[in-house]
Amino acid sequence: MAMGTRFNMVVPGLSHSDGEHLSRVVTGILCSEESRLSAYMANSEVSCINRLAPAMQQKVSDEMAAVLDFCQLTWEQTGGAFDAGMFRLKQDAGLAGDDFTGGWEYVRWNSFERMIYFENSQTAIDLGGFGKGWALSKVIDYLKSEKIDSAFISFGESSITAHGAHPLGSNWQITISHPSTGVAALFELNNQSVSVSGLKTHSGDLSEKEQFHIIRPQQHAMVEENRVVVVKSESPLVAEVLSTAVMAASDSQIKKILKNYENHKIYVCESDSPVFKCISG
């Protein structure tokens, strides 16, 4: 378990001892990133920022500065569809509506000085649509440094990375389906990642209940459409951020995303659709 979900990795050809060593190192990477990025851990760097930045400027670590640079860039390039400043709304859905004044537009981030400040107390950072992709990027960097050229990773079943080719020399294959309709699509991966976003579905008493968890920043409300978005990219981080952004985006934001991320494949399956439709070029 890492970041509140399952992490599974298959590395062909490793000895038992090498596999145990790799497992320890990867677990250390994931725990280190979680302790930095989780807004639910009281002593994480993000939690410290959330407590203190509404009152005064806070200097952040070099690693956190890279995270905030990426959040700022992605907020701009998605037209605000990806907004890492909505944690208070996720904590309390009662804040939803026109009176909510949180979000990245109220974040004052000085990349040169590594200083951050929030203009109000309703703004707080949430990296839930970012953290798994960031951590996966760190794991892939480590695999490359160790000359490991083939691995398959599933992080919470929603962030999947194929590092290198399948051991039989072909692409890794995965099937992704819409949880409500069963409509499925086959994806082939080789040094690529996919991220899947949609309504969380979990077993209730006698039926399945859909859990709203993605915020639509423009309306300060939860996304309720029963769709599945899949993004295929060479970057697990970009894949995760875009799958969240497309779920939440308006039509105008979708156009901006397609323009700024034209080399990434984006697929959407609505609850009444017979197929996963590729909406990117």
Side-chain angles (χ1 to χ4, degrees):
M1 293 287 291
M3 295 186 174
T5 190
R6 290 182 293 271
F7 182 93
N8 299 295
M9 180 166 63
V10 177
V11 182
L14 280 187
S15 67
H16 180 73
S17 60
D18 286 345
E20 287 192 332
H21 173 72
L22 179 61
S23 177
R24 287 192 295 270
V25 172
V26 170
T27 298
I29 292 171
L30 298 177
C31 289
S32 175
E33 295 308 320
E34 184 175 22
S35 69
R36 187 192 335 275
L37 303 177
S38 175
Y40 296 97
M41 297 178 69
N43 295 322
S44 72
E45 187 170 4
V46 161
S47 290
C48 292
I49 292 170
N50 286 343
R51 281 195 300 271
L52 300 174
M56 64 184 72
Q57 290 191 86
Q58 298 299 311
K59 196 171 186 72
V60 305
S61 66
D62 289 344
E63 191 77 5
M64 182 57 69
V67 169
L68 296 174
D69 281 342
F70 188 86
C71 288
Q72 177 72 36
L73 176 64
T74 309
W75 179 71
E76 294 169 357
Q77 292 190 332
T78 64
F82 179 80
D83 191 317
M86 293 278 182
F87 185 56
R88 300 292 182 228
L89 185 56
K90 183 174 285 189
Q91 284 183 304
D92 183 1
L95 295 173
D98 294 339
D99 292 335
F100 180 73
T101 57
W104 198 264
E105 65 179 301
Y106 301 101
V107 172
R108 295 297 168 257
W109 166 235
N110 185 327
S111 180
F112 181 74
E113 299 288 343
R114 291 194 289 115
M115 301 290 287
I116 189 168
Y117 172 72
F118 301 157
E119 289 191 349
N120 58 59
S121 60
Q122 288 193 336
T123 297
I125 294 174
D126 171 29
L127 298 173
F130 172 99
K132 294 199 304 296
W134 180 267
L136 276 172
S137 297
K138 298 292 184 181
V139 171
I140 294 301
D141 287 345
Y142 177 75
L143 296 180
K144 290 178 179 178
S145 74
E146 293 297 302
K147 305 296 190 294
I148 296 173
D149 57 10
S150 180
F152 182 86
I153 304 171
S154 173
F155 203 170
E157 286 82 54
S158 63
S159 296
I160 300 168
T161 292
H163 172 57
H166 189 279
L168 297 180
S170 57
N171 296 331
W172 299 85
Q173 295 184 341
I174 62 170
T175 299
I176 297 172
S177 60
H178 194 297
S180 298
T181 66
V183 172
L186 177 69
F187 295 88
E188 296 193 353
L189 305 176
N190 189 331
N191 285 320
Q192 295 165 309
S193 299
V194 295
S195 177
V196 186
S197 286
L199 296 183
K200 285 185 177 178
T201 306
H202 58 90
S203 296
D205 294 330
L206 297 174
S207 61
E208 291 189 335
K209 298 179 181 179
E210 292 156 336
Q211 179 182 345
F212 307 131
H213 65 291
I214 297 175
I215 294 171
R216 177 166 284 125
Q218 277 193 328
Q219 275 122 18
H220 304 151
M222 296 294 180
V223 173
E224 298 185 7
E225 291 86 352
N226 189 10
R227 69 166 62 99
V228 172
V229 174
V230 180
V231 177
K232 180 178 177 181
S233 171
E234 293 182 0
S235 164
L237 177 55
V238 172
E240 183 173 9
V241 167
L242 287 188
S243 68
T244 301
V246 172
M247 273 292 294
S250 65
D251 290 344
S252 61
Q253 289 169 329
I254 289 287
K255 290 179 181 179
K256 189 161 190 172
I257 290 169
L258 296 180
K259 178 182 177 180
N260 289 328
Y261 296 93
E262 58 183 9
N263 294 325
H264 307 270
K265 292 294 185 181
I266 302 172
Y267 303 83
V268 177
C269 184
E270 304 287 352
S271 59
D272 60 352
S273 173
V275 296
F276 278 78
K277 179 182 179 181
C278 182
I279 65 171
S280 54

